[in-house]
Amino acid sequence: MKQGRVTGKKALVSGGVSGIGLASAKLLAAEGAEVIIADINPPEEETGLAFHHLDVSDENAWADTMAFVADTLGRLDIFVNSAGINGTGFGLPQNPEELSLEQFRKVMSVNGEGSFLGCKAAIAAMKGHGGAIVNIGSLSAHLTMPTMFDYAASKSVMHYLTRTAALHCADKGYDIRCNLVTPGATLTPLWGTIFDENADIEAQKAAIVEKIPLKRWTMPEDVAYAVLYLVSDEARCVTGAEILVDGGQRLGGRGSR
């Protein structure tokens, strides 16, 4: 595999301080890109990457972030839309009977509205010279999972957004590609809100693995390699596409919860 697959490109990764976002940012930097990570939380480790505070649900915050990108990088070639939250962290039911409107709106504001605002801002920054957008979706958007109604609904917005943004940019002649990477059960900090802390964590992890056809967790780095391909010139004719990185979960129609 050749090195320097994104050398000289300028990248922004939302949700870039942990999990898939951080893995993607590190890999892009290792492959030659200049990267800014943006997140509502500050980095917990030294990354060597520029950081900018961003609440993805705030349109004004996006304007401030894109101004920082312009001042720091000069232009934007790559945007990885990775910021997201899981409604499990609120400790409330997520089924369509008991889910509160407040919780639904909170999850949708980050995962749905935040993704829309990110794509909108990236298109504005890239349309003069072209670029690549990758949205990080979720297998839950493909499965019917009543216990994850708010999260799955919000990720479904991202899936549809990817296709419409891709076609819009192509029709406008912007030379901006927009694609989707869809992870299955990926071992990120979000799982800390899902596991029962009063039970054997390793046993819970093993039970998840048993539901995955390939019998292994997807790691953030596995998803990052799919991101790298889609933002590289190797994928110059790929837009509106989806890459599943799920260990075969969709083939078996199996969710993790």
Side-chain angles (χ1 to χ4, degrees):
M1 183 181 296
K2 71 178 184 179
Q3 300 298 305
R5 296 165 71 187
V6 288
T7 294
K9 295 187 184 294
K10 315 295 184 178
L12 171 68
V13 180
S14 72
V17 304
S18 65
I20 292 169
L22 180 57
S24 298
K26 286 182 174 180
L27 183 58
L28 292 174
E31 290 288 339
E34 190 173 352
V35 183
I36 292 173
I37 54 175
D39 204 293
I40 198 167
N41 299 309
E44 296 181 355
E45 62 179 80
E46 177 54 51
T47 64
L49 304 173
F51 169 77
H52 190 72
H53 178 269
L54 171 65
D55 176 353
V56 297
S57 66
D58 183 344
E59 189 167 13
N60 291 328
W62 275 108
D64 182 59
T65 297
M66 299 314 287
F68 179 79
V69 169
D71 289 343
T72 306
L73 302 181
R75 69 175 190 277
L76 182 65
D77 304 307
I78 294 168
F79 173 53
V80 182
N81 214 353
S82 183
I85 59 173
N86 188 325
T88 307
F90 298 105
L92 300 171
Q94 294 174 268
N95 65 68
E97 179 183 8
E98 300 174 275
L99 178 70
S100 71
L101 180 59
E102 180 183 8
Q103 178 173 331
F104 181 82
R105 284 175 171 167
K106 177 60 177 177
V107 174
M108 190 63 72
S109 71
V110 175
N111 298 353
E113 294 175 15
S115 297
F116 155 64
L117 290 172
C119 280
K120 183 177 181 180
I123 289 170
M126 294 176 178
K127 66 182 182 181
H129 59 273
I133 297 169
V134 175
N135 293 323
I136 306 299
S138 169
L139 185 64
S140 65
H142 289 294
L143 305 176
T144 304
M145 304 175 72
T147 58
M148 296 182 69
F149 170 62
D150 51 354
Y151 180 76
S154 68
K155 285 297 187 175
S156 296
V157 170
M158 181 178 275
H159 284 228
Y160 191 76
L161 170 65
T162 300
R163 298 194 299 272
T164 53
L167 187 57
H168 170 78
C169 290
D171 285 344
K172 290 288 187 177
Y174 290 158
D175 195 25
I176 300 172
R177 300 181 296 101
C178 186
N179 292 292
L180 181 75
V181 175
T182 300
T186 306
L187 200 54
T188 70
L190 282 178
W191 280 89
T193 65
I194 298 173
F195 291 131
D196 183 353
E197 295 181 354
N198 298 315
D200 187 331
I201 298 295
E202 293 305 315
Q204 293 176 70
K205 289 181 179 180
I208 296 297
V209 167
E210 280 304 306
K211 297 180 180 181
I212 302 172
L214 287 184
K215 297 295 185 286
R216 68 171 68 99
W217 281 93
T218 295
M219 301 304 291
E221 293 75 15
D222 299 318
V223 183
Y225 274 107
V227 171
L228 174 62
Y229 163 68
L230 288 172
V231 301
S232 75
D233 292 339
E234 297 157 24
R236 66 190 183 91
C237 289
V238 181
T239 194
E242 176 182 14
I243 296 180
L244 284 162
V245 187
D246 69 346
Q249 282 183 276
R250 190 182 179 192
L251 294 175
R254 303 168 191 169
S256 311
R257 292 174 52 199

